[in-house]
Amino acid sequence: MSQIVRTSSCACGRVRCQAVGAPILSAVCYCDDCQAGGRQIEALPKATPVLDADGGTPYLSYRDDRFSCTSGADLLVGYKIRETAPTQRFVASCCNSGMYLKFEPGHWVSAYRIRFEGDLPPIEMRTQTKYRLADTEIPHDAPSYRKYPLKLFRKLLGSRIAMVFGR
Ligand SMILES: [Zn+2]
């Protein structure tokens, strides 16, 4: 069975990552950490935006074993919003493009959707909308949740089980 392989590239093309198969989740997160982490990246010299105009961050989340950097991995630099934060956001230092984030205890990578090429899966949900500051109406393309919905944890758990059993 052939699987979809998606490529994400930094703005200048030196860093390229590859994601195999369907993502665990395609979502937009509005949590305060994602907003702070996005602003931190966008403040870097010549950075390209990672946040949507309304402060949301669209991600495609993949299992660790289905996401890898195929070129320029040595150019990746990890940023944290605080010293003790469990999450690192990896930026292509060549052009300061946010590529993906890694939540340390997790078995997945959340890659910035904006860096991907080609046909992408639709957005499934918008999460942590209680932190959304924009006064515009929230897009109705997918259900919105004030926190993380149970459905999200079920998807993560399901993907963990599949990964353990090598499926
Ligand atoms: Zn680059």
Side-chain angles (χ1 to χ4, degrees), residues 20-96:
V20 178
I24 303 169
L25 183 69
S26 162
V28 179
C29 189
Y30 291 88
C31 86
D32 47 353
D33 282 3
C34 281
Q35 295 199 46
R39 284 193 302 268
Q40 184 183 34
I41 293 172
E42 290 179 353
L44 296 170
K46 294 180 182 163
T48 47
V50 290
L51 297 171
D52 281 346
D54 73 348
T57 313
Y59 296 106
L60 296 179
S61 296
Y62 287 93
R63 280 165 35 176
D64 283 343
D65 60 343
R66 295 195 172 167
F67 186 87
S68 57
C69 273
T70 50
S71 68
D74 55 320
L75 295 166
L76 291 169
V77 175
Y79 287 85
K80 288 184 170 190
I81 55 170
R82 338 171 248 285
E83 196 60 40
T84 55
T87 299
Q88 263 192 303
R89 291 177 176 77
F90 288 89
V91 173
S93 59
C94 39
C95 55
N96 286 330

